[in-house]
Amino acid sequence: MTSKPLPPVVDAETWRARLDELRAREKAATRELDAIAAERRRLPMVRLPEYTLQGPSGPVRLADVFGGKSQLITYHHMWNPGQKWQCPGCTGFTSQFWKLEFLDEYDARFVIVTQGEIGEALEYKRRVGNAMDWYSTAGSPFGADMGAPPGAGFAVNVFLRDGDTVYRTWHTDGRGTEQLSHTFPLIDLLPYGRQEEWQDVPEGWPQAPTYSHWWPSEQYARYGE
């Protein structure tokens, strides 16, 4: 027998009735997310000045980071200069994304940008087995202008290109990035959830300090080899 507390045990009919109640709320949340996405498609946009980033082959204009696509998503990876292991949250988030070629069908691309010097950034990409293309904003105001200045947090930005002109269409940071992840949605399906102390759980449910279950960056590197 487990020493952990368990949900109450009921008959199948009672379970189905409770599940149907919850399902109604889940479907309502899905419809609300659809409505939010519809509003996102109606957002105005901001024309950007020309930015130059650093890529694997040297300086590259932001318009060329699109790789010929018209739409671009950038994940701004937190960076601490000179450290072997970077933010485990960013490392874990970016480790989820493989087979990004499906975005070709949507005329879009997804890349990582970071304040780290390009040599360090590419070495870290290799060390952790990351799949996305990386670019450096070191020496450019791009990261700071997009909500991810040196020494600060992470962010996601979305851009639209018309010829050589780039527009910023959307931005989020903090827990706003969870919608792009598959890890937390999977964990949230589990009976015990994330097991973090801030979550609303039944009495006696296992809980621990926030982040205590997260892998360190070294762990992602181990499985990325």
Side-chain angles (χ1 to χ4, degrees), residues 11 20 24 32 41 75 99 120 141 145 158 169 179-180 189 201 206 213 220:
D11 59 80
D20 288 346
E32 175 62 13
R41 290 189 290 271
Y75 180 79
K99 306 295 184 183
E120 281 191 33
D145 290 351
V158 181
T169 65
Q179 65 181 292
L180 308 178
L189 294 177
V201 298
H213 289 286
Y220 291 102

Side-chain angles (χ1 to χ4, degrees), residues 94-102 128-132 223-224:
T94 58
S95 72
Q96 301 172 69
F97 297 96
W98 294 83
K99 306 295 184 183
L100 288 167
E101 293 79 8
F102 76 91
V128 299
N130 194 270
M132 287 192 235
Y223 283 95

